[in-house]
Amino acid sequence: MKGLLVKDFRLIAGQKTFFLAMAAIAAGVSLFSGETLFAVGFLSLVAALFSLSSISYDELDNGNAFLFSLPVSRGAYAAEKYVFGLLLGLAGWILSVLFVLGVNLYRQAELPLEVLMTSFALLPLVLLLPALVIPFDLKFGSERGRIAILGAFGLIFVAGMAGNKIAESMGVDLGELLDGLPVPDLGTLIAAALGGSVLLWLLSMGISMAIVKKKEF
């Protein structure tokens, strides 16, 4: 896996202009709008999802066929995309949190603890979004994978709407039901979200490993 990570990080070296542009956009929006935490979510997710770009580059000119002629296992290839996305996402998260803390301390705006708690609430997305989209990219390829992702989210939306309509027809008010549930404190919610995201991340990795092992290149 080390060699695969080196390959993908060298790929990043050729994309530094892209990352600098994204950082400038995040900083500009945060500074001029006053929503400094925008930088945390934006940079973290852009960085984490860059693993999809590395999959696209691997597919160019039948590159996967050459890659798997080397001493690289298919399972390690799939797992590396998750580790690569996680490392990038965490790096983006840490740098953006430091930026936001610095801006807020300079402006004497939100307290550091409030900034950190809100930033930790965004951290599960660094795990969750790549876990949702990487299997589609590996299964269908970059172009068809994007269509499959949109189709899957569309089905989820339709299923949610249908479930709501069914509940209404049965006289069940989902909003009232949710309002009646006990609300845990923020720390418990963040811990539960992180735990659930880790489980989904590991499950998604296992699915992707199975996909790559069965796929013909």
Side-chain angles (χ1 to χ4, degrees), residues 12-51:
I12 289 180
Q15 301 292 323
K16 56 181 178 295
T17 303
F18 168 79
F19 281 102
L20 288 173
M22 294 300 102
I25 291 171
V29 172
S30 296
L31 291 173
F32 290 109
S33 70
E35 297 292 334
T36 52
L37 284 167
F38 169 81
V40 178
F42 181 74
L43 286 180
S44 300
L45 297 181
V46 166
L49 290 174
F50 192 79
S51 55

Side-chain angles (χ1 to χ4, degrees), residues 133 136 144-157:
V133 298
F136 288 98
R144 289 186 297 168
R146 304 293 191 277
I147 298 172
I149 291 167
L150 291 175
F153 280 110
L155 287 174
I156 292 172
F157 176 77

Side-chain angles (χ1 to χ4, degrees), residues 19 32 48 70 74 80-81 85 96 106 108 116 127-128 131 142 149 167-168 180 184 188-189 191 213:
F19 281 102
F32 290 109
L70 302 173
R74 296 188 174 213
E80 184 269 343
K81 295 305 177 188
S96 56
Y106 176 76
Q108 297 182 342
L116 286 174
L127 290 168
L128 191 58
S142 298
I149 291 167
E168 288 180 356
T188 302
L189 282 173
K213 286 177 181 178

Side-chain angles (χ1 to χ4, degrees), residues 7 17 23 28 36 38 47 49 55 60 68 70 85 94 100-101 103 130 152-153 168 170 182 187 197 206 213:
K7 171 186 72 68
T17 303
T36 52
F38 169 81
L49 290 174
I55 295 173
L60 286 175
F68 292 126
L70 302 173
I94 291 170
V100 170
L101 284 173
V103 171
F153 280 110
E168 288 180 356
M170 296 173 64
S197 298
K213 286 177 181 178

